[in-house]
Amino acid sequence: MSGVIEHKMTESDLTYLFGGARHPIADVLPGQVLSTSTEDCFGGAVRSTDDLPSRVCRQFNPVTGPFRVPGAEPGDTLALHFIAITPARDWAMSATFPHFGALTGTHTTATLQPPLPEVVWRYDIDTAAGVVRYHARRSDYTVDLPLDPMLGTVGVAPAAGEARSTIVPDQHGGNLDTPELRAGTTVYLGVNVPGAMFAFGDGHARQGQGEVCGVAVETAMHVTVAVDVIKGVSTPWPRIETDHQLISIGAARPLEDAFRISQHDLVTWSAALTGLDVLDAYQLVSQAGRAAPGNVCDPLYTMHAAVDTAVLRGAPAYDGTHRRLRELARPVG
Amino acid sequence: MSGVIEHKMTESDLTYLFGGARHPIADVLPGQVLSTSTEDCFGGAVRSTDDLPSRVCRQFNPVTGPFRVPGAEPGDTLALHFIAITPARDWAMSATFPHFGALTGTHTTATLQPPLPEVVWRYDIDTAAGVVRYHARRSDYTVDLPLDPMLGTVGVAPAAGEARSTIVPDQHGGNLDTPELRAGTTVYLGVNVPGAMFAFGDGHARQGQGEVCGVAVETAMHVTVAVDVIKGVSTPWPRIETDHQLISIGAARPLEDAFRISQHDLVTWSAALTGLDVLDAYQLVSQAGRAAPGNVCDPLYTMHAAVDTAVLRGAPAYDGTHRRLRELARPVG
Amino acid sequence: MSGVIEHKMTESDLTYLFGGARHPIADVLPGQVLSTSTEDCFGGAVRSTDDLPSRVCRQFNPVTGPFRVPGAEPGDTLALHFIAITPARDWAMSATFPHFGALTGTHTTATLQPPLPEVVWRYDIDTAAGVVRYHARRSDYTVDLPLDPMLGTVGVAPAAGEARSTIVPDQHGGNLDTPELRAGTTVYLGVNVPGAMFAFGDGHARQGQGEVCGVAVETAMHVTVAVDVIKGVSTPWPRIETDHQLISIGAARPLEDAFRISQHDLVTWSAALTGLDVLDAYQLVSQAGRAAPGNVCDPLYTMHAAVDTAVLRGAPAYDGTHRRLRELARPVG
Amino acid sequence: MSGVIEHKMTESDLTYLFGGARHPIADVLPGQVLSTSTEDCFGGAVRSTDDLPSRVCRQFNPVTGPFRVPGAEPGDTLALHFIAITPARDWAMSATFPHFGALTGTHTTATLQPPLPEVVWRYDIDTAAGVVRYHARRSDYTVDLPLDPMLGTVGVAPAAGEARSTIVPDQHGGNLDTPELRAGTTVYLGVNVPGAMFAFGDGHARQGQGEVCGVAVETAMHVTVAVDVIKGVSTPWPRIETDHQLISIGAARPLEDAFRISQHDLVTWSAALTGLDVLDAYQLVSQAGRAAPGNVCDPLYTMHAAVDTAVLRGAPAYDGTHRRLRELARPVG
């Protein structure tokens, strides 16, 4: 571990794009640990149930970055091992937003019906108890849900010179909105430009699978992440490794294509790791695999495919990068 | 509990349709327990890796039934509490089937590419150890996976006089292919015709979420099920209750519509059970819910939406039917 | 031409299913001409703008039939050459129907928004002038549109013993809702049961491509059709031949699958007719083909793919069946 | 008409992005006519049937631009009236490209099947006769198709600072790939950045509806276009006006969403132009409208919705911009 970069995030460190001409806000070398923080998807502007996002926000989903990784080149893979993702506040916000979400007509699933009402919910975060408290708006119903902090948005600059809104998930990562992106995991992203230019944000105190209303339990986060680069190894779609499983993520519409991408990647990745024939791997993942949606509301939907590493008899992905980063991170996290 | 019906299944008890003119193979009264068995989706014709399904099978997915429930009328709900689902053999089969499955062009996702090869896998079932053993076809790779028996297909006669192939999942149930349909759960199905005319089959020793190659670990099953009817209560889409969660199932294409149906049902069901406003329930399910695909290969795809009953503060569904059937079943199961 | 069957339609000749146990209402021999009539999709119950379909109708989309064609066997193709499709009334009705249509949440594209208002429109049909007159409901705007009579629903009994609602389009035909199904065309349908058991109805004085609000300009029709059977030739999806073009129809969701099916069928059919290699036919249809939606509102969406027979250098489909039926029909039509 | 800008296109005038930091290659004032040319989607590198695109091309779909329109501001509408689109060569190329097109698994409709063979076709263009000649690759079949020149790609810089590959169609226009974009039409695009920054290219000597194999009859073009800006009027999705019809274009996946967007825009636009209530306009477009796919192969699919201006009783769109540009263009075209 060659050191810890403490980057105190300020408003000028927030961006709404992956890619484009924006200068990096800091360099992080392979092997270094970065400690910084992120704003929520409202840029902190929604603080009470009276703050309607459509009125108080001009833009959505700021991320902290981009950070440049000297030495990362197109064709390499960036590994981001999240050591800690910790709420920076004791409250979080959610909302319904007009024509956004899975159970309403939208911008593209265009209907002639009026939008659902715009309503805001405020949650209490109790980090010690490990819960977030839901309060109904139209009754006094409350209930505690497990605190399960994650980052909705992690990505690098896209390929082909594109610059993409941070609302969008795609091959470069971005707004994946999957609850699997927790502390303790390593995210792998294919590098498309020199320096990779990664950024992250959109912390969720928790979210349901599919993020059906379009907005999670949104809060600012403190984030500690170990950074590494796997040279000469490309990664077609975002992947996550945990201590016990490998996860592939697809982003597409319709949702079955997000499913297909994630399963295709997991099958071919499993075959490569184990030496199994591709059809044998197809069969094995079909019986042993898990699958779930991340979001079914963003410009592209996401699904993940997961398999236990035990099913693959422990074949190490990316030459053991996850285990190595985990070990290195120990004194820090 | 007003008794146990032992129905010894023979080939003439198998059907390939839900609905239609077929006579019931037996009557089961509300409150009775039925004990019978089911064939696998190949009708038992695929027994070795040399038995290609396209050659040895003329039809697929036989179910045992229909059973008539005297007193069940359109507008009621049929409750099937599965007390036991136990493999009837110590082996199971799987396969790739031409132009079937999620990672191939199909009948409707029509492409000009040739089909994937048709390959058959044979699994060993070790009920005592609680595992199924996978054997690769093109190497000597083997691995044990947890035994997790379920029924892929459970349904009633459809509405509007339709008769549907047992390959199809829809509002009447049918080929849901969800691993959530295990022993210990209660399945709720809306009744469309007098007597409900239910049937089930398509046992899986286990399956991955999404059943990506199109075929699970297929085997014959012994099934014990307690039957009840909830009068005057309709059920729009198949639902499952476990000891700790409520589950709604949607069947549709594209996959986001299966997601929408299941989430819409879970949100409105949760609102009805708790007295929450619908938007409050939308918010709560968005943060607390789980979602996963059952199949992404059948004529309609399935997804389920689930929420812990604790999140709903214990509001009893269907007036406590699940708990009641579970209690009644205890001496039997 | 071996004669004309005049079948005076009465209410007992209407059915809401393709397939099932219903007895044929008449036999029509290959080579015979059938003259009968059809009700509109409301069964004639919607006659003024005050007749809301959700109140005055219990069922939708009656068709006249089934007619049995002695000698037609599974694996054959039924040819229906429509000699005349003529409005039986000087008025027609349309409507928005709750949660039905392309620009609203539906049963499966389930949203939490309230439905659009249910509104009924009444059109005047002027057969002599060849127009239908639209009247706005909330202003005095009127405009004449070309009269272009067609049948929304033409089908045979489905395969595998299924019985399907007449609302559904699929491989057996059914509720195709394509404006291409006009007088002067020959419809080809694969035969699934002895006697084919065909039926038709759902006349439209005209409809837009895609039937976006879910309901066309609905009216009763007088129909004259020449019937033939092509022995030993199967037809995978509904096809239409006109004097100058070949048309393949796909029915599926999502809409791209309806597109894929129709294009796949047209490409492989064109290759078979011309002797072109399949990739050469793929290229030719890609540049010369036309494509449009029939409906984007029914349980399965439909699209058609069309190519001019001149592009295929006149290769005769089904051994010249269309031309032959057209000639034979001349004295009748 | 305040003059004609002759811009002789060179390779440095080609770009593969809409938006981003690239400097405009020229300014065009509102009211001016621009005359320039475009390369084909292969950048001219595919000239014989031996030139496989995957080998001879590094990038695809260059467009000429961007051109800046001084005075165009976000919230305005750019009007591009295409006076002439004329093939610059007497040949054109098409191809199948691995994992691209509607009848093959793709990057996102990920399957495990091998790709279709990569094959190239060369067409002869006979401008005087108005035909393009198709030659089969695996037989001596040839046939002439009507020459119908169009531009596949016309767009402006996207909103929110995004830079998008020219392969992508979306709200900013881009790779719409619709045969409706012919000479004689006016294209309307919402302006997102000062100067609009428009570009165009991807000429097709003709294409089928849906561009099913993924590649049209690709050729370089000479293009003459009159440019105007409608101040203070926004345009949500690309629109086209011809002498006799209004056309709205949607770009989305699944294909039904492209349909929904285009129909929603045409319905609400028609209502605004005629004063019709929105439901009355929904009904009218449902019966009078036409719909067809542009492409079913690009990252987003496109469909258009069209209605005759006569059906709208001649209500002038954009204050008569199309008619005015057409008149002004007369001495030029």
Side-chain angles (χ1 to χ4, degrees), chain A residues 19-39:
Chain A
R22 186 179 162 89
H23 285 288
I25 63 171
D27 279 4
V28 185
L29 291 170
Q32 283 187 321
V33 170
L34 168 68
S35 180
T36 187
S37 53
T38 62
E39 248 309 342

Side-chain angles (χ1 to χ4, degrees), chain D residues 201-221:
Chain D
D202 188 25
H204 300 166
R206 70 168 287 113
Q207 72 160 84
Q209 288 175 319
E211 204 181 6
V212 60
C213 83
V215 185
V217 183
E218 311 282 343
T219 196
M221 293 286 180

Side-chain angles (χ1 to χ4, degrees), chain A:
Chain A
M1 187 63 48
S2 36
V4 177
I5 313 272
E6 298 279 353
H7 185 90
K8 188 169 167 48
M9 186 265 288
T10 64
E11 201 174 315
S12 67
D13 295 326
L14 299 179
T15 177
Y16 295 85
L17 287 173
F18 286 99
R22 186 179 162 89
H23 285 288
I25 63 171
D27 279 4
V28 185
L29 291 170
Q32 283 187 321
V33 170
L34 168 68
S35 180
T36 187
S37 53
T38 62
E39 248 309 342
D40 68 25
C41 74
F42 304 115
V46 177
R47 306 176 74 88
S48 89
T49 56
D50 293 333
D51 295 328
L52 296 190
S54 69
R55 276 201 232 132
V56 301
C57 300
R58 279 183 316 124
Q59 282 185 287
F60 293 91
N61 218 39
V63 293
T64 303
F67 296 94
R68 178 169 56 189
V69 185
E73 295 293 331
D76 297 341
T77 289
L78 177 71
L80 297 175
H81 176 68
F82 287 93
I83 300 167
I85 301 172
T86 315
R89 294 174 183 143
D90 63 359
W91 52 270
M93 306 303 298
S94 191
T96 48
F97 191 79
H99 292 308
F100 191 73
L103 298 189
T104 170
T106 67
H107 177 61
T108 55
T109 305
T111 73
L112 293 168
Q113 293 158 288
L116 293 173
E118 186 173 2
V119 178
V120 174
W121 289 263
R122 185 179 159 116
Y123 288 76
D124 310 312
I125 300 178
D126 184 336
T127 307
V131 297
V132 294
R133 176 159 294 183
Y134 162 89
H135 304 269
R137 285 299 307 281
R138 295 174 188 180
S139 70
D140 59 2
Y141 192 104
T142 66
V143 67
D144 286 349
L145 306 175
L147 177 67
D148 186 11
M150 49 160 284
L151 291 177
T153 309
V154 177
V156 294
E162 286 201 318
R164 306 298 305 277
S165 160
T166 53
I167 301 293
V168 180
D170 209 332
Q171 291 188 266
H172 67 284
N175 198 21
L176 301 171
D177 277 334
T178 170
E180 305 305 315
L181 210 157
R182 297 180 180 89
T185 69
T186 303
V187 177
Y188 301 103
L189 296 165
V191 176
N192 300 301
V193 303
M197 307 299 275
F198 74 85
F200 48 73
D202 188 27
H204 299 165
R206 70 168 287 113
Q207 72 159 83
Q209 288 175 318
E211 204 182 7
V212 59
C213 83
V215 185
V217 183
E218 311 281 344
T219 197
M221 293 286 179
H222 296 306
V223 178
T224 308
V225 57
V227 176
D228 208 353
V229 172
I230 301 134
K231 294 298 296 179
V233 176
S234 64
T235 295
W237 287 91
R239 294 172 175 169
I240 297 176
E241 186 171 356
T242 73
D243 289 355
H244 299 297
Q245 59 184 339
L246 300 183
I247 301 174
S248 295
I249 297 176
R253 291 191 180 199
L255 188 58
E256 53 263 44
D257 272 6
F259 176 82
R260 286 180 180 119
I261 292 166
S262 61
Q263 297 287 334
H264 184 278
D265 187 63
L266 189 62
V267 166
T268 52
W269 187 19
S270 296
L273 290 175
T274 55
L276 278 170
D277 171 82
V278 168
L279 280 189
D280 275 330
Y282 187 28
Q283 172 61 210
L284 182 55
V285 167
S286 292
Q287 312 312 344
R290 284 180 301 281
N295 89 79
V296 191
C297 54
D298 294 328
L300 297 179
Y301 304 142
T302 56
M303 285 195 80
H304 80 261
V307 71
D308 287 347
T309 45
V311 170
L312 306 184
R313 305 199 307 198
Y318 294 101
D319 249 336
T321 295
H322 172 72
R323 195 162 314 168
R324 190 161 33 80
L325 289 177
R326 214 174 168 290
E327 286 309 309
L328 284 169
R330 196 156 296 179
V332 179

Side-chain angles (χ1 to χ4, degrees), chain C residues 22-317:
Chain C
R22 186 180 162 88
H23 283 289
I25 62 172
D27 280 4
V28 186
L29 291 170
Q32 282 187 321
V33 169
L34 168 68
S35 180
T36 188
S37 52
T38 62
E39 247 309 342
D40 67 27
C41 73
F42 305 113
V46 177
R47 307 176 73 88
S48 88
T49 56
D50 294 332
D51 296 330
L52 295 190
S54 68
R55 276 200 234 133
V56 302
C57 300
R58 278 183 318 123
Q59 281 186 289
F60 292 91
N61 218 36
V63 294
T64 303
F67 296 95
R68 179 169 54 190
V69 185
E73 295 294 332
D76 297 342
T77 290
L78 177 70
L80 297 176
H81 177 68
F82 288 93
I83 300 167
I85 301 171
T86 315
R89 295 172 182 145
D90 62 359
W91 53 270
M93 306 304 296
S94 192
T96 47
F97 192 80
H99 291 309
F100 191 73
L103 299 189
T104 171
T106 68
H107 177 61
T108 55
T109 305
T111 72
L112 294 169
Q113 294 157 288
L116 293 173
E118 186 173 3
V119 179
V120 174
W121 288 262
R122 186 181 158 113
Y123 288 77
D124 311 312
I125 299 178
D126 184 337
T127 306
V131 297
V132 293
R133 176 160 294 184
Y134 162 89
H135 303 269
R137 285 299 308 280
R138 295 175 188 178
S139 69
D140 59 1
Y141 192 104
T142 67
V143 67
D144 286 350
L145 305 175
L147 177 67
D148 186 13
M150 50 161 282
L151 291 177
T153 309
V154 177
V156 294
E162 286 201 318
R164 306 297 306 277
S165 160
T166 54
I167 300 293
V168 180
D170 209 333
Q171 290 189 266
H172 68 284
N175 199 18
L176 301 171
D177 277 333
T178 170
E180 306 304 317
L181 210 157
R182 299 178 178 89
T185 69
T186 303
V187 176
Y188 301 102
L189 296 165
V191 175
N192 300 302
V193 303
M197 306 299 275
F198 74 86
F200 49 74
D202 188 26
H204 299 165
R206 70 169 286 113
Q207 73 159 83
Q209 288 175 320
E211 204 181 7
V212 58
C213 83
V215 185
V217 183
E218 311 282 344
T219 197
M221 294 285 179
H222 296 306
V223 177
T224 309
V225 57
V227 176
D228 208 354
V229 172
I230 301 134
K231 295 297 296 179
V233 176
S234 64
T235 295
W237 287 91
R239 293 171 176 171
I240 298 176
E241 185 172 356
T242 74
D243 290 355
H244 300 297
Q245 58 184 340
L246 300 183
I247 300 174
S248 294
I249 297 176
R253 290 190 180 200
L255 188 57
E256 53 263 43
D257 271 6
F259 176 83
R260 286 181 179 117
I261 291 166
S262 62
Q263 297 286 334
H264 184 279
D265 187 63
L266 189 62
V267 165
T268 51
W269 188 17
S270 296
L273 289 174
T274 55
L276 278 170
D277 170 82
V278 168
L279 280 190
D280 275 331
Y282 188 26
Q283 172 62 210
L284 182 55
V285 167
S286 293
Q287 312 312 344
R290 283 180 301 282
N295 88 77
V296 190
C297 54
D298 293 328
L300 297 180
Y301 303 143
T302 55
M303 285 195 79
H304 81 261
V307 71
D308 287 348
T309 44
V311 169
L312 306 184
R313 305 198 307 197

